[in-house]
Amino acid sequence: MFQALADPNRRQMVQRLSEGPASVSELAAPLQMTLSAVVQHLAVLEGAGLVRSQKIGRVRNCQLETQALRAAERWISERRTLWERRFDRLGAFLAEQAAESEEENGA
Amino acid sequence: MFQALADPNRRQMVQRLSEGPASVSELAAPLQMTLSAVVQHLAVLEGAGLVRSQKIGRVRNCQLETQALRAAERWISERRTLWERRFDRLGAFLAEQAAESEEENGA
DNA sequence: GCGATACTTAAGCTCATGCTTCACCAACCA
DNA sequence: TGGTTGGTGAAGCATGAGCTTAAGTATCGC
């Protein structure tokens, strides 16, 4: 899924879809590439569960699937807070050490 | 930066670093590959600003840089909430339509 | 029905990515 | 001081990602 978000064109597609549903050609419009390539990118996004789409008549309607985005967000968030919490504990420890050192000086 | 997080081995390194700082060989230990390869992955992570490292003696000490993680998190979050808000408005609109329809039936 | 539209599928091409090996250097330590 | 440990750098290789072209299919509007 991070793999899917790794490509800037795909991120642009996600960006576009975050503003509302779109057809394949609407997604393709701002991207300087073939419709074929866009469909391939779309397949990656769908494979990652980031986008859902259904064909109505001859146009395929695509929309964002927030579940997957939420999962990615959570993964990052968990790692980040884990590290930050560790950092805070370290800070507290150092502060404590400093305080003890102060005491020793005082005694 | 999403590019950097795209590789599962690199994510594992980030995971490891979220639990605390580590040397290059410590990062390499659980990964079934050469130290050389690990250093290359590390370079990618550093290039993306996800990791900072400094060499002390002959061992390189690596630690997570939460700024970049935070940025990635924000990007996802913004897209997601943008879409979800749209979704909510749509729900509200449909509810309103339904209410109007009720009124018409009543009238 | 017929042309235009909106994809779809397959094949192939190119370049980046992820890895390995090998040679090397620097620092630690017995 | 010499061997071991920890890391660096360059070269090369295999695979896969991203793109294109080309040919095909299914709707839509007239």
Side-chain angles (χ1 to χ4, degrees):
Chain A
M1 190 186 38
F2 281 111
Q3 183 64 268
L5 288 175
D7 185 90
N9 292 314
R10 283 198 290 267
R11 277 202 303 277
Q12 199 175 330
M13 289 169 74
V14 168
Q15 161 72 40
R16 169 65 190 79
L17 286 173
S18 74
E19 295 164 7
S23 70
V24 176
S25 8
E26 278 169 352
L27 284 177
L31 300 173
Q32 217 116 38
M33 65 173 104
T34 326
L35 201 64
S36 232
V38 173
V39 171
Q40 285 169 46
H41 280 307
L42 189 61
V44 174
L45 288 173
E46 287 206 61
L50 286 163
V51 169
R52 195 172 15 133
S53 77
Q54 55 180 337
K55 201 159 181 179
I56 301 173
R58 63 182 167 170
V59 1
R60 175 169 295 276
N61 201 274
C62 310
Q63 54 177 61
L64 220 52
E65 194 67 64
T66 51
Q67 294 284 80
L69 281 178
R70 218 185 275 273
E73 210 177 327
R74 188 149 17 112
W75 190 92
I76 297 179
S77 174
E78 278 168 8
R79 267 69 203 165
R80 183 175 59 76
T81 55
L82 194 62
W83 169 251
E84 284 174 352
R85 212 168 289 152
R86 220 197 92 91
F87 205 78
D88 289 348
R89 276 205 308 280
L90 179 64
F93 174 72
L94 290 179
E96 200 178 324
Q97 291 294 90
E100 282 176 19
S101 174
E102 286 281 302
E103 273 181 44
E104 277 174 33
N105 284 346
Chain B
M1 190 185 41
F2 282 112
Q3 183 65 271
L5 288 175
D7 185 90
N9 292 314
R10 284 199 289 266
R11 278 202 301 279
Q12 200 175 330
M13 288 169 75
V14 168
Q15 161 71 40
R16 169 65 190 78
L17 286 174
S18 74
E19 294 164 8
S23 70
V24 176
S25 9
E26 278 169 352
L27 285 177
L31 302 173
Q32 216 115 39
M33 65 172 104
T34 327
L35 200 64
S36 234
V38 173
V39 171
Q40 284 170 47
H41 280 307
L42 189 60
V44 174
L45 289 172
E46 287 206 61
L50 286 163
V51 170
R52 195 170 17 133
S53 78
Q54 55 180 337
K55 203 162 180 177
I56 301 173
R58 62 180 168 172
V59 2
R60 173 169 298 276
N61 201 275
C62 309
Q63 53 177 61
L64 218 53
E65 194 68 63
T66 51
Q67 295 283 81
L69 282 178
R70 217 186 276 273
E73 210 178 326
R74 187 148 18 107
W75 190 91
I76 297 179
S77 174
E78 278 169 7
R79 266 71 206 160
R80 184 176 59 75
T81 55
L82 194 61
W83 168 250
E84 282 174 353
R85 211 167 292 152
R86 220 199 93 91
F87 205 77
D88 289 348
R89 275 205 309 278
L90 179 65
F93 174 73
L94 289 178
E96 199 177 325
Q97 291 294 91
E100 281 176 21
S101 173
E102 286 280 301
E103 274 180 45
E104 278 174 31
N105 284 346

